[in-house]
Amino acid sequence: MDKTYNPHAIEQQWYQHWEENSYFTPSGTGSPYSIVIPPPNVTGSLHMGHAFQDTIMDTLIRLKRMQQHDTLWQVGTDHAGIATQMLVERKVQAEEGLTRHDLGRDKFLDKVWEWKEESGGNITRQLRRLGASVDWDRERFTMDDGFYTAVQEAFIRLYEDGLIYRGKRLVNWDPKLHTAISDLEVVSEDEAGHLWHMRYPLADGATTANGDNYIVVATTRPETMLGDTAVAVHPEDERYQHLVGQFIELPLVGRRIPIIADDYVDQEFGTGCVKITPAHDFNDYAMGQRHGLTMINVLDQDAAILATPEVYNTEGKSIEHSETIPAAYQGLDRYAARDGIVADLQGLGQLEKIEDHTLKAPRGDRSGLVIEPLLTDQWFVSTKPLAEPAIAAVEDGRIEFVPKQWENTYFAWMRDIQDWCISRQLWWGHRIPAWYDDAGKFYVGRSEADVRAKYNLGDINLRQDEDVLDTWFSSGLWTFGTMGWPDMTEALKRYHPTDVLVTGFDIIFFWVARMIMMTMHLMKHEDGSDQVPFKTIYVTGLIRDENGDKMSKSKGNVLDPLDLIDGISLEDLLAKRTGNMMQPQLAKKIDKQTRKHFPEGMAAYGTDALRFTLCSLASTGRDIKFDLGRIEGNRNFCNKIWNAASYVLMNCEDQDCGQHGDAVELSLADRWILSRLQRTQQKVLSALDSYRFDHAAEALYSFICNEYCAWYLELSKPVLWDDNASPEQLRGTRQTLVQVLESALRLAHPLMPYITEEIWQKVKPLVGKTGPSIMLEAYPEFTADMVDEQAEADLNWVRDVIEGVRNIRGEMNISPAKPIPLLFSKGQESDQAKLEANRSFLIKLAKLESVTWLPAGEEAPLSATALVGQMEVLVPMAGLIDKDAELARLTKELAKLNGEIKRFNGKLSNAKFVDNAPAEVVDKEREKLAEAEAAAATLQQQVAKIEAI
RNA sequence: AGGACUAUAGCUCAGUUGGUUAGAGCGCUACCUUGACAUGGUAGAGGUCGGCAGUUCGAAUCUGCCUAGUCCUACCA
C-alpha cells in the first residue's frame, strides 16, 4: 500500500474495471430492485444537485446489489427542448452569425444533433467519475428511436381516450422564444410598477352617483385597453350598481363596451371598476367565458400591437368585424404602446392619476421576459381525469413520499390542477403526430400513411403539425419508456414499477406528478389495475452555498463536483466562474469573492469524501448549505481509513490471521470490537432502510474513527507486540483486526465505493475471500447474539481507567512521555479481576510505569484522583503534580457533582415525581444520586487530604 | 392570501415513541513528532435548545400564541 492516501490514484482505475467486467449489469437473479435516474439534460453538465441525488441513488443501488437483489439502475439523458434549442441557437449565432430561421428547420436540427453528439458524453463521463453504478448497456435518450415510438403511442392513446384536445386558448406566450409555455414555466416575482387610473366615459348620457359622466378604471396594463370588451364592477357595489347594463365609450378606440357585474371584482382594490380584456389576461378570459364576451387580440407574436385586431367569440372562433386599432399604435412594442396610450390619455385629460404599485411580473423561466397571455391554437392534456387516480395512489400508500410532508404539496397542486398545454412552437423535440388537411381539419396517427389509411383520406394534401411536445411529455414516460414500452418487454415485467425515485422538490410538479399521471393511465398490471411508476419518492433538498444562497452562474458561487473531486487552481476557478457570462458586468465582483473564499483554489478531496459528505448532509430532505469544512473533515476520514488499513496490513499480511481455521483466543478488546461492529451494522442498516443517509454516515464515522482506530488498533498493540503472546492470542487479534476491517469496508462501500474497493482487494485474502470485487460481496447483516454486553461493559471499565489517567495527565501537564506509577484503591474484587486481566492494556495505553493494587485498609500516598465507579485510580503526586493544580481540578469536578446532586435531590424530594413517574425511572434517579454522592464524598476527602499538608 | 418548513455550541448539523450529565464534525485553547496516521494524537473550553404561555411528576421533544428566516402555491385588475 502507498504510504499516503491519494484518491486520484485509486479512483481512476476501479470504475473502469467495474464497468468492463459488467458488474453494473442486473444479475437477473434475486428479487428485482430498480431505480431510474432523473435524466439530466443531454448537453448539460453535472452540478451539485446531480452529484447529491446520484450519490443517494448509487448508495441505494450498491446496497441492494450487495444484498443480492437484482438491481437495475436505468440511465439516460433528456433532450431538454427549450434549453437545448436556445443553447444551439446561441452557438450558431455566435459562430456563423445565423439564426435558426436562416438555416431552416432541417439544417438547424442537424446542428442540434451534431451538438448532442459532441457534448452528450460530458454528463455521462461525469457520472462515471462519481462512481455511479448505472447500467450503461441500457442507456437511453428521450429522443432515441424507442422513445419516438413511445411518445407517439402515448399521444395517440391519450388522444383516443379523449384526454388530449386542441383548441384556441389563452396561454402563456414567450415573446422572445415565440412559443407557448406551461404555467409551471412561468415564474412570478415582485416588481415595481404603476397603477394607472383611467377615465372611461359613460355612453348615452349616463352618470355616476356623484354626477360624473365617466367612471375610473385602475390598471397595470394600460396598453391592453385596445382589446377591452367590458368593464366589470362588483354586483353589490352601491357606487356602480345602477350602471350595470350601461355602456362605456372606450377612449382612443371608440368601441362601445358594456358594464357588467361579477363578484370576482374586489370593491376595495383600485376604484372597484375593472377593465376586461379577455384576450390578454387569464382572469378576464374566465370572466369573458362567463359573460359571453368577445375576445379581441391586439398583440402579435412579438407582443407588439397588431395593425388589425383579431376578434373571436367565446369558443375561440374567428368572427368578422370592423374593429380597428388607432394607427398611432400599430406595430409598436407593448411597452412603447403603453407609453403612447398613457400620454394620449393624459393629453385628453382622461388620466386621473398614476400610483406606484408593486406587482408580480410573470416571466418565462428560460427567456426571462415578461410573458404575454395570448390566444393561440395549442394542444392540451385534460389533467383532471388523470389526476384523480394519481391522487388516490398517494393517499392509499401505493406511492409514498419521503419525507412525508411533500404529500401536502403534491395534493394541493393535484387537486387544483389546470389543463396542461403540451405543444411548443419549437423545432427541437418530438413532433406532434397530427396531420392537417387543407381545410385545417386534423387527424392523429402514427404517420402520414397511417393517418390516410385510418381516416380513409385518399389522396388529399396533408401536412404534419409544426409544433413539438413539451419536454416533460416525453420524460413523463421515463420509467417505462426506457424499458421498451409500448412492447411489454421482459424488463418491463421484471423492473416496473421501479422502487424509488430520488429527486428534488423543484420538479415535483414538472415531472413527478406528470409521471404518475401518465404512467398510471398507460401502464397496467396483468389484472388491469394501474401501475405506478415508483413506490417511493425520496425528495432531496437543494444544495446551496455556504451562505444558504442558491448556486447560480450569475452569482458565481457554483461549486462543480468535479472540482471538489480533482481540485482546481485559483486561476482555473476564476476563469470558470467569470468566463462566458451572460452578464459580464458581474465578473469583477465574482472574481473578488472567489479570491476571498478560495485564495489557493480548491484541494482535491476525492470522490469518496464528496460522496460521504453528501450522505452525511442528507438529513431531513431540507436544503443543504454546503460547507467545505465538512468535505475536508471527511477527506481526513478517508485518510484515517487508509492509514488504519495500512497498520492492519503491516501486521497481518503474510501472517496467520486465523483464515485457515486454527484455534484462536480472543482478547477482551477483540470481543469488544466485534460486538461494537454488530451494533454499527445494526445502525447502518436501519438508517439506510429509512433513507437516513446522514445517520448511516455518522454511525460509520464514529465506529471507524472513534472505536476501531482510536481504541481497538491501540488495544491490538499490546497483544501483537507482546513477545510472550501465544499463537492463539496472536491469531485471535490478527483475525479480529482483519475481519472487522473487512466488514467495515463492506458496510461503507455503498457510500464510499473506491477506497473500500482498493483496500478490500488487499484485505480479502486475509479473511479467506476470493470474490472479484467488494461490490459483489454480501452486505453485512446484524446478528443480535453476536453482541457481547459483558465485553462492552468490561472494556468501558478499561477505558474509564485510561481516560481517568489521561485526564490527570492533561490537566496536570504531565508529559505524555513520562511513564507514571498508578495505584488502585477501594476497589471491589471484580475491579481487581479486571485489572489483572487487562494490565497490559492499561500499561500501554495510559503509559504507566507500574500498576499497584492497594488492599483494603492500606493508606494511599497523597495522589491525584480519578474515579471509576467507587474505585479510586490514583496518580501519586510526589514529584509529578502541583498541589494547587490538583485542588483546582478536584474543585471543578466537585462543583459539577454537587450540581448534579442538587438536581437529583430536587427531583426525588418531589412527591409528585416519586408517586407518578414509573418506578424504574425513579430507581434510576436514586442510583444516580447515590453514585454522585459517593463520588463527591471521595473527592471531598481527597481535597481535605491535600489541604491538610 | 393560503400552506409548508426552519430556529440546538463561534460555524454546519444530529437528537426515533417526552425521562441523557443535550451530541458530532469543523473552528478555538493547551500539551505532544509515542513504532497506522501532523490529512495526526491527548486533554479541555464552549449551549438557560428563538420568545412567552400551557399540558405533564417531568418538555430540546407535545399544544397554542408570538418573533425571525427560507420556500411553495394562488393572486388584486
Side-chain angles (χ1 to χ4, degrees):
Chain A
M1 253 177 106
D2 286 344
K3 180 85 180 136
T4 52
Y5 168 60
N6 179 1
H8 208 249
I10 61 172
E11 290 175 2
Q12 307 278 328
Q13 63 203 29
W14 281 118
Y15 193 90
Q16 208 187 342
H17 181 79
W18 296 328
E19 191 180 345
E20 279 169 2
N21 286 281
S22 302
Y23 296 157
F24 305 154
T25 309
S27 64
T29 59
S31 64
Y33 182 89
S34 57
I35 295 180
V36 290
I37 202 168
N41 290 0
V42 65
T43 59
S45 62
L46 209 68
H47 55 63
M48 286 299 280
H50 292 124
F52 181 34
Q53 289 166 11
D54 295 341
T55 294
I56 301 290
M57 282 181 263
D58 194 46
T59 299
L60 288 169
I61 282 285
R62 284 180 186 270
L63 167 71
K64 297 292 175 179
R65 190 184 290 116
M66 290 178 78
Q67 288 177 334
Q68 312 306 311
H69 288 272
D70 177 18
T71 50
L72 167 63
W73 187 5
Q74 173 66 47
V75 69
T77 48
D78 191 274
H79 67 279
I82 298 184
T84 305
Q85 175 165 325
M86 278 177 71
L87 202 137
V88 176
E89 278 188 85
R90 268 220 306 277
K91 193 166 127 67
V92 170
Q93 181 73 56
E95 288 171 7
E96 305 172 41
L98 298 174
T99 68
R100 70 179 156 118
H101 298 284
D102 295 335
L103 283 173
R105 186 164 187 147
D106 290 344
K107 279 201 175 134
F108 178 74
L109 285 179
D110 288 344
K111 292 270 178 200
V112 184
W113 280 107
E114 272 172 37
W115 175 242
K116 185 250 171 194
E117 293 311 321
E118 202 180 307
S119 68
N122 200 17
I123 195 119
T124 53
R125 267 195 301 280
Q126 291 176 320
L127 267 175
R128 287 179 164 89
R129 289 300 315 278
L130 265 189
S133 58
V134 298
D135 184 6
W136 291 109
D137 296 340
R138 291 174 191 261
E139 183 178 357
R140 295 295 300 273
F141 175 51
T142 54
M143 270 181 53
D144 63 24
D145 292 345
F147 252 90
Y148 176 76
T149 311
V151 166
Q152 280 210 330
E153 181 72 21
F155 186 96
I156 292 165
R157 281 206 203 166
L158 287 166
Y159 175 74
E160 287 173 353
D161 293 339
L163 294 168
I164 283 182
Y165 64 92
R166 179 177 163 84
K168 191 176 288 289
R169 297 282 186 286
L170 201 56
V171 296
N172 300 297
W173 182 264
D174 190 311
K176 183 177 173 192
L177 301 172
H178 288 170
T179 179
I181 55 181
S182 76
D183 298 348
L184 291 176
E185 291 161 283
V186 178
V187 287
S188 296
E189 283 195 38
D190 276 332
E191 289 182 23
H194 302 282
L195 201 53
W196 285 271
H197 291 246
M198 310 189 300
R199 289 181 184 172
Y200 274 21
L202 291 160
D204 311 322
T207 54
T208 60
N210 50 6
D212 291 333
N213 60 353
Y214 58 86
I215 57 171
V216 179
V217 298
T219 181
T220 55
R221 301 215 47 198
E223 69 281 10
T224 62
M225 71 165 299
L226 299 172
D228 283 359
T229 54
V231 168
V233 298
H234 194 276
E236 276 145 39
D237 194 330
E238 291 176 2
R239 294 170 294 180
Y240 308 113
Q241 257 173 349
H242 70 288
L243 292 173
V244 174
Q246 301 284 336
F247 289 83
I248 292 290
E249 194 131 349
L250 196 59
L252 307 176
V253 182
R255 183 184 306 137
R256 245 172 97 87
I257 58 174
I259 297 173
I260 59 174
D262 194 296
D263 50 18
Y264 157 77
V265 179
D266 177 1
Q267 299 182 49
E268 308 297 316
F269 188 86
T271 60
C273 300
V274 191
K275 62 188 272 310
I276 302 300
T277 324
H280 293 292
D281 181 279
F282 288 99
N283 290 309
D284 293 7
Y285 179 87
M287 201 182 296
Q289 294 289 318
R290 286 199 290 275
H291 294 269
L293 298 177
T294 304
M295 304 189 280
I296 302 181
N297 175 34
V298 299
L299 295 172
D300 68 11
Q301 299 209 332
D302 294 311
I305 306 294
L306 286 167
T308 312
E310 298 166 355
V311 181
Y312 304 98
N313 68 11
T314 48
E315 264 104 66
K317 286 231 166 62
S318 186
I319 49 182
E320 297 270 329
H321 66 90
S322 55
E323 296 291 342
T324 54
I325 289 175
Y329 312 128
Q330 293 179 17
L332 290 184
D333 173 75
R334 52 187 164 171
Y335 297 118
R338 173 182 300 178
D339 293 343
I341 285 168
V342 167
D344 292 347
L345 283 173
Q346 196 147 32
L348 292 170
Q350 282 176 310
L351 189 70
E352 180 124 333
K353 61 173 171 176
I354 307 176
E355 279 180 324
D356 286 338
H357 180 69
T358 50
L359 57 118
K360 296 268 192 196
R363 290 179 181 273
D365 65 353
R366 291 290 170 185
S367 70
L369 244 59
V370 172
I371 63 97
E372 194 62 56
L374 206 64
L375 276 171
T376 49
D377 289 307
Q378 302 289 349
W379 293 90
F380 294 86
V381 171
S382 302
T383 43
K384 286 262 186 315
L386 291 170
E388 278 173 31
I391 290 170
V394 174
E395 279 174 341
D396 64 27
R398 273 173 292 163
I399 300 176
E400 238 174 315
F401 277 88
V402 176
K404 203 169 172 55
Q405 80 227 20
W406 289 109
E407 282 181 1
N408 294 329
T409 311
Y410 173 82
F411 287 140
W413 191 70
M414 292 295 269
R415 286 177 180 145
D416 188 35
I417 195 167
Q418 304 298 310
D419 281 358
W420 172 21
C421 175
I422 49 170
S423 42
R424 296 289 180 274
Q425 288 64 52
L426 302 173
W427 289 351
W428 176 241
H430 285 281
R431 196 112 168 234
I432 289 172
W435 280 261
Y436 299 84
D437 61 20
D438 288 341
K441 190 170 185 321
F442 65 80
Y443 308 92
V444 170
R446 283 174 179 76
S447 64
E448 189 177 325
D450 178 48
V451 164
R452 280 185 199 282
K454 199 161 150 192
Y455 298 95
N456 211 6
L457 296 179
D459 209 18
I460 64 168
N461 278 333
L462 285 176
R463 58 184 172 80
Q464 189 175 1
D465 196 312
E466 294 286 317
D467 293 351
V468 301
L469 288 163
D470 182 6
T471 299
W472 301 103
F473 187 90
S474 47
S475 42
L477 316 175
W478 188 242
T479 61
F480 54 100
T482 48
M483 297 184 195
W485 188 86
D487 292 336
M488 198 27 86
T489 58
E490 286 306 309
L492 267 179
K493 286 183 200 154
R494 188 158 177 81
Y495 302 111
H496 203 275
T498 65
D499 286 88
V500 55
L501 179 77
V502 178
T503 192
F505 63 85
D506 49 333
I507 55 172
I508 287 182
F509 305 141
F510 276 106
W511 191 45
V512 179
R514 286 162 177 173
M515 226 183 332
I516 296 174
M517 291 192 287
M518 304 257 271
T519 308
M520 291 183 70
H521 186 75
L522 296 168
M523 281 293 292
K524 304 293 169 187
H525 288 288
E526 278 178 4
D527 65 3
S529 62
D530 300 344
Q531 279 201 25
V532 294
F534 27 69
K535 297 160 200 159
T536 301
I537 305 167
Y538 176 80
V539 182
T540 63
L542 240 52
I543 306 249
R544 296 170 177 278
D545 75 359
E546 66 279 4
N547 300 317
D549 291 327
K550 216 165 169 169
M551 289 187 184
S552 77
K553 175 103 177 132
S554 64
K555 283 193 207 122
N557 59 352
V558 173
L559 283 179
D560 182 336
L562 271 292
D563 292 344
L564 291 168
I565 292 172
D566 294 331
I568 185 168
S569 68
L570 178 63
E571 290 69 35
D572 290 348
L573 185 60
L574 287 171
K576 200 166 179 173
R577 286 187 163 190
T578 58
N580 191 24
M581 293 198 62
M582 302 276 273
Q583 297 156 283
Q585 71 274 15
L586 298 174
K588 206 166 173 184
K589 194 176 154 204
I590 291 170
D591 187 282
K592 202 178 145 193
Q593 277 176 0
T594 304
R595 283 176 193 280
K596 194 180 151 202
H597 276 115
F598 306 99
E600 287 158 50
M602 253 180 261
Y605 298 111
T607 300
D608 288 321
L610 174 63
R611 289 176 55 128
F612 193 82
T613 303
L614 291 169
C615 283
S616 70
L617 291 169
S619 51
T620 55
R622 295 301 304 170
D623 288 358
I624 288 170
K625 286 193 219 179
F626 195 85
D627 178 17
L628 276 180
R630 295 289 288 254
I631 194 173
E632 190 175 340
N634 289 325
R635 189 267 321 262
N636 295 351
F637 173 50
C638 291
N639 187 54
K640 193 83 183 165
I641 297 174
W642 186 264
N643 288 318
S646 163
Y647 166 82
V648 172
L649 289 170
M650 190 184 297
N651 284 288
C652 298
E653 257 178 336
D654 306 319
Q655 303 275 356
D656 183 354
C657 303
Q659 69 268 48
H660 311 299
D662 295 312
V664 296
E665 182 184 329
L666 297 183
S667 73
L668 170 64
D670 296 334
R671 285 181 282 121
W672 170 77
I673 197 69
L674 287 167
S675 180
R676 299 306 300 167
L677 172 68
Q678 284 303 320
R679 291 198 195 269
T680 306
Q681 286 171 183
Q682 182 184 30
K683 275 188 216 154
V684 171
L685 281 162
S686 81
L688 291 178
D689 216 40
S690 50
Y691 301 96
R692 287 307 301 263
F693 302 94
D694 57 330
H695 287 174
E698 208 274 330
L700 283 166
Y701 187 99
S702 115
F703 174 74
I704 294 174
C705 261
N706 303 335
E707 298 192 311
Y708 186 71
C709 290
W711 285 99
Y712 181 66
L713 293 192
E714 294 307 317
L715 289 165
S716 73
K717 290 173 185 175
V719 178
L720 296 180
W721 298 349
D722 179 1
D723 293 338
N724 301 319
S726 70
E728 288 79 11
Q729 286 175 318
L730 287 170
R731 264 203 296 276
T733 292
R734 287 204 186 103
Q735 183 186 58
T736 309
L737 272 172
V738 294
Q739 275 183 359
V740 173
L741 175 62
E742 195 269 344
S743 298
L745 291 171
R746 279 184 287 129
L747 202 60
H749 176 76
L751 287 80
M752 323 171 86
Y754 292 119
I755 188 173
T756 50
E757 176 76 295
E758 176 75 17
I759 297 172
W760 187 82
Q761 292 292 341
K762 300 199 161 63
V763 173
K764 69 177 180 181
L766 304 180
V767 294
K769 292 205 172 181
T770 53
S773 166
I774 189 174
M775 63 177 284
L776 303 178
E777 291 295 309
Y779 202 66
E781 287 170 16
F782 171 58
T783 314
D785 57 17
M786 285 175 73
V787 171
D788 187 339
E789 306 262 7
Q790 188 60 51
E792 294 190 3
D794 288 354
L795 200 102
N796 280 344
W797 182 94
V798 173
R799 277 174 67 157
D800 285 347
V801 173
I802 293 166
E803 281 174 344
V805 176
R806 283 176 179 173
N807 177 275
I808 292 171
R809 244 189 221 284
E811 296 272 288
M812 297 299 113
N813 262 330
I814 301 171
S815 158
K818 169 106 186 140
I820 50 182
L822 196 65
L823 306 174
F824 288 74
S825 174
K826 300 185 184 152
Q828 316 263 317
E829 266 178 46
S830 60
D831 289 321
Q832 191 173 11
K834 282 178 197 151
L835 163 60
E836 291 313 326
N838 299 296
R839 189 176 274 272
S840 64
F841 289 145
L842 299 179
I843 290 174
K844 172 75 178 107
L845 272 70
K847 185 113 183 154
L848 302 179
E849 178 191 272
S850 61
V851 183
T852 310
W853 178 265
L854 294 181
E858 189 164 326
E859 192 63 19
L862 198 62
S863 302
T865 314
L867 289 175
V868 175
Q870 302 300 315
M871 181 178 72
E872 295 173 16
V873 176
L874 303 171
V875 178
M877 291 173 69
L880 271 177
I881 296 173
D882 176 66
K883 154 186 163 190
D884 292 332
E886 174 61 5
L887 267 180
R889 195 182 70 92
L890 290 174
T891 308
K892 193 174 79 179
E893 205 60 33
L894 263 171
K896 215 159 111 188
L897 281 171
N898 286 330
E900 283 177 29
I901 290 167
K902 203 171 156 195
R903 273 189 335 108
F904 295 142
N905 269 328
K907 261 189 177 179
L908 289 165
S909 61
N910 180 351
K912 285 182 183 168
F913 171 71
V914 180
D915 293 345
N916 291 312
E920 56 177 58
V921 172
V922 177
D923 287 346
K924 214 167 130 192
E925 291 297 308
R926 289 213 172 94
E927 222 172 278
K928 285 192 289 195
L929 174 65
E931 273 172 33
E933 280 177 340
T938 308
L939 293 188
Q940 196 60 60
Q941 280 171 20
Q942 288 296 326
V943 169
K945 240 167 148 180
I946 295 172
E947 278 174 339
I949 49 167

